[in-house]
Structures are given as structure tokens and as C-alpha cells.
Amino acid sequence: MRSHPTYPPPRTAPPTELVTGGRYNFGTYDGPVPSINPLDAAGGGLLGAPRRAVRDLGLKEWEAFQLGDDDWFVLGAVYNAKSIGLLQVLVVDKHAATIRRFETKLPTPLLSVARGLSGTTSRGDFSGLRIEIGNDLSNDAITVDATRGAEGDSPSLSLHATGDARKKSAAHLVIIHPFGDSDALYSHKAMMPMTGSLVLGDDRVGFDDDSSFLILDDHHGDYPRPMKYDWVTAARRGATGRIEGFNLTDNQVRDPETHNENAIWIGDRVHRLPPVDFERPDGPWGRWNIRDAAGAVDVTFTPTVQSTMHVGPAKLLAEYYAPYGWFEGVIHGERATLAVDGFFGVGEQKRITI
């Protein structure tokens, strides 16, 4: 017999900075942290500068987005792994189950991942691909712009989107969760309505203003090695036009009963969830089962589009599966329930040692 779900504590008001006095402000918050200063965890004094340099080399940082409408799902990122950088826009046709990839690796000094989401930009421009994510939460907006010229059989790309981050439209899940006493995962996730356009070659293929959405994913982490996690997310606009979505993760943070980023979004509300487990009895391209111990989360993910990025012999340096597909099931928050049948989204199974 399953036990009654135990939900994590509610989100609280955010601190003014990520690190204060050399220590992370661990917790789960309902709004932006104004100052994202992870290198301050290295301390000051004579050894402060070299310690900050070492900490910076181990810090995985990216700002990503997922956006789309009833027909299209787009994932993009400006990613700094410190050993290498990545610019990426992946365009998925949900119903045709096809993917177009616009991506390039580049030296990390040629890209920039923002620290803080008020008046900042994450950007990169290399090998014909340009991505810029504009963060202006103080004025209730997130913007995404990406372009690339045609290359061979691949069409040109023009992506422009503006997310509506007003309080009545969007809700925020901001975490500062411990890997250890002095190592943390900071993540800011928000789901919101979006307006914009997607042009592939000469064809304007998206988006429909009444059904379009945007997911913000700002991420800075002092990950252990190897870095490992399982993750799925999806969003859509409901019948009333409000955002509905979810984020489910099984990662390496300490005390996941308290510290996890599992949640459902319904309009301007976020409802936290218990920790979850991922099962893939048929591997990464088969069905994924995501559940918690007490039955609050019972979700199945069926991939229809494959995507991978492996590095090194026998995937030694990085083993990464990121399929796209359809969800079914139900998620019971403490004060709200979300049926996820017919949601389309993305999953990740990741192990990285570089």
C-alpha cells in the first residue's frame, strides 16, 4: 500500500544574493535572486583569486529555453562547460516527428552566460549561428533571438520570441540546493506565454499566439564528477490560455525530500512535488516511467524523436540522450492536479565527466 505523499516546504522570498559571506543561501524561492555571485563561495583574502579561478573552471553554466506552440517545440541553449562551449537550437515538428539541428561548438571565451536575469544577456555568435537571450525580468520580459544562414541541405533559421513574464502570467521556481556544504546547484525556471515567429528558409512555420509558450532555464552548478541527472519537462497553453507545465528531475543534490526542483505550473502558480525516480526498461528510446514513492507523480514519456551527443571513446567523456516525445499520466500537487496526457516535451539522460 502506498503512503501519503510528503511535499517539500513552500517556496519563500529570495535572498538578495546567491552567496553571502562565502556561503550559499540554500533554499527554494518564488522569485529572482538579484545577485548571482557563485565565485564568492571561494572566499577572499590572499588565496581568493586563485580559488575563484579554480571554482570557475568547475562551474557548469548555461541559459536555455524551450518554446513552441501546438505544432512546434524548440530547444535552445548558450552552454559553457568551461572545457568547451556550445550554441544550440533544435527545432522539432511534433506531428511529423522530425528534428532540424542548428548547433556549433566553440571556444568558451567566444560566448557569454549571464549571471542574473535583470538587464543581462546570454549570447554567442560563431560559425554562422547567432543566439541571444535577453533577460529583463525587472520589466517582465524574456527575449530570444537566433539566426543562421542556409548551409547545404539545411535551411536558414530565424527565431524571435518574447516571453510574457508578468506576475499574472508567469511563475518562478528558483533553487539553491546543496551538493555539499560548499557546492550548490542554482537554477531559475519559469514558464510563461510567448509571442514570436519561427522561419525556416522561406517558410514562416510558427508560432500561434494563442497556444505559444516559453520555458526559461537559467543554470549554474558546482556539479560533482561525473555530472549525472535525469530530467523531463513540457508545457502548453490550456483551454483558457494560461500556462500549464511541469519539471521533473532526479539529480545529485542532497536531501531531495526537501531540495528538489520537481513542480507543476498552472497559470501564475507553482506547486512543488516529492522526489521522483526514472525507469527506462527498454533504454533511452523506449518508454520512460517517472514516479514518486507515494503515487503523487505517475507519468510516462514516449520518445518519438531521437537526439544524442556523446563524447570520447565508448562515450567515456560524455553520454547524453535527449529524446523528444509525448507524455501521459497525472501529477498530484499538494493543492492542484495536472493531467499531462497530450503534452509534448523533452527528456535528458546525462552523464558527463569533462
Side-chain angles (χ1 to χ4, degrees), residues 66-70 72-74 94 194 207 211-214:
Q66 297 87 44
L67 55 82
D69 60 10
D70 288 343
W72 297 91
F73 189 94
V74 180
K94 296 181 180 182
M194 179 270 290
F207 301 99
S211 64
S212 56
F213 62 88
L214 183 146

Side-chain angles (χ1 to χ4, degrees), residues 284-336:
W285 311 130
R287 289 162 65 94
W288 297 24
N289 301 314
I290 305 103
R291 302 185 178 99
D292 74 305
V297 179
D298 189 357
V299 171
T300 299
F301 173 52
T302 302
T304 56
V305 177
Q306 296 185 11
S307 179
T308 62
M309 187 175 292
H310 304 319
V311 180
K315 310 168 190 173
L316 181 64
L317 299 179
E319 184 175 12
Y320 175 65
Y321 304 92
Y324 299 79
W326 299 95
F327 291 90
E328 57 185 309
V330 65
I331 305 174
H332 299 285
E334 193 169 14
R335 295 180 177 84

Side-chain angles (χ1 to χ4, degrees), residues 67-87:
L67 55 82
D69 60 10
D70 288 343
D71 299 316
W72 297 91
F73 189 94
V74 180
L75 179 147
V78 179
Y79 191 108
N80 189 348
K82 303 305 164 71
S83 55
I84 196 169
L86 175 68
L87 302 176

Side-chain angles (χ1 to χ4, degrees), residues 26-352:
F26 294 126
T28 303
Y29 304 110
D30 62 4
V33 177
S35 176
I36 303 303
N37 56 336
L39 301 188
D40 286 0
L46 293 176
L47 296 178
R51 286 175 176 168
R52 290 171 70 91
V54 170
R55 180 169 284 270
D56 188 44
L57 287 173
L59 188 66
K60 305 297 185 186
E61 302 184 274
W62 65 85
E63 186 172 358
F65 59 85
Q66 297 87 44
L67 55 82
D69 60 10
D70 288 343
D71 299 316
W72 297 91
F73 189 94
V74 180
L75 179 147
V78 179
Y79 191 108
N80 189 348
K82 303 305 164 71
S83 55
I84 196 169
L86 175 68
L87 302 176
Q88 184 178 63
V89 178
L90 306 182
V91 179
V92 176
D93 184 325
K94 296 181 180 182
H95 305 292
T98 59
I99 185 170
R100 290 190 180 274
R101 309 181 71 95
F102 304 89
E103 56 191 348
T104 183
K105 298 181 178 67
L106 70 164
T108 57
L110 300 183
L111 59 76
S112 174
V113 178
R115 290 180 180 166
L117 297 176
S118 181
T120 64
T121 304
S122 295
R123 61 164 61 93
D125 187 346
F126 189 75
S127 191
L129 177 60
R130 177 182 176 273
I131 301 174
E132 183 170 300
I133 306 171
N135 306 301
D136 197 7
L137 287 185
S138 58
N139 288 313
D140 302 325
I142 296 292
T143 59
V144 174
D145 293 279
T147 58
R148 200 201 68 179
E151 293 185 0
D153 295 332
S154 182
S156 60
L157 165 73
S158 179
L159 170 65
H160 305 282
T162 300
D164 177 3
R166 292 175 296 171
K167 289 183 179 180
K168 70 176 185 178
S169 303
H172 303 268
L173 178 68
V174 180
I175 67 163
I176 306 172
H177 287 171
F179 293 124
D181 291 341
S182 58
D183 297 303
L185 170 61
Y186 158 82
S187 173
H188 184 149
K189 290 183 169 65
M191 299 189 183
M192 63 196 74
M194 179 270 290
T195 57
S197 62
L198 172 65
V199 179
L200 297 175
D202 296 326
D203 298 323
R204 186 187 188 281
V205 298
F207 301 99
D208 175 66
D209 288 349
D210 293 332
S211 64
S212 56
F213 62 88
L214 183 146
I215 306 174
L216 166 70
D217 186 356
D218 185 42
H219 204 103
H220 306 259
D222 305 302
Y223 276 92
R225 290 192 179 183
M227 167 188 181
K228 298 186 295 183
Y229 64 74
D230 297 312
W231 170 66
V232 292
T233 194
R236 69 182 179 192
R237 298 275 289 280
T240 63
R242 68 182 181 179
I243 282 291
E244 300 174 342
F246 59 90
N247 186 86
L248 301 172
T249 307
D250 181 13
N251 57 24
Q252 294 162 289
V253 300
R254 190 169 61 188
D255 186 15
E257 288 76 16
T258 300
H259 300 298
N260 73 64
E261 55 179 330
N262 302 325
I264 56 177
W265 276 254
I266 301 177
D268 62 351
R269 302 295 177 92
V270 170
H271 304 270
R272 299 193 67 198
L273 299 168
V276 295
D277 293 314
F278 284 63
E279 296 180 350
R280 303 179 189 84
D282 300 314
W285 311 130
R287 289 162 65 94
W288 297 24
N289 301 314
I290 305 103
R291 302 185 178 99
D292 74 305
V297 179
D298 189 357
V299 171
T300 299
F301 173 52
T302 302
T304 56
V305 177
Q306 296 185 11
S307 179
T308 62
M309 187 175 292
H310 304 319
V311 180
K315 310 168 190 173
L316 181 64
L317 299 179
E319 184 175 12
Y320 175 65
Y321 304 92
Y324 299 79
W326 299 95
F327 291 90
E328 57 185 309
V330 65
I331 305 174
H332 299 285
E334 193 169 14
R335 295 180 177 84
T337 293
L338 182 65
V340 303
D341 292 0
F343 276 73
F344 187 96
V346 63
E348 289 186 342
Q349 179 185 355
K350 177 181 284 189
R351 179 193 57 81
I352 296 179

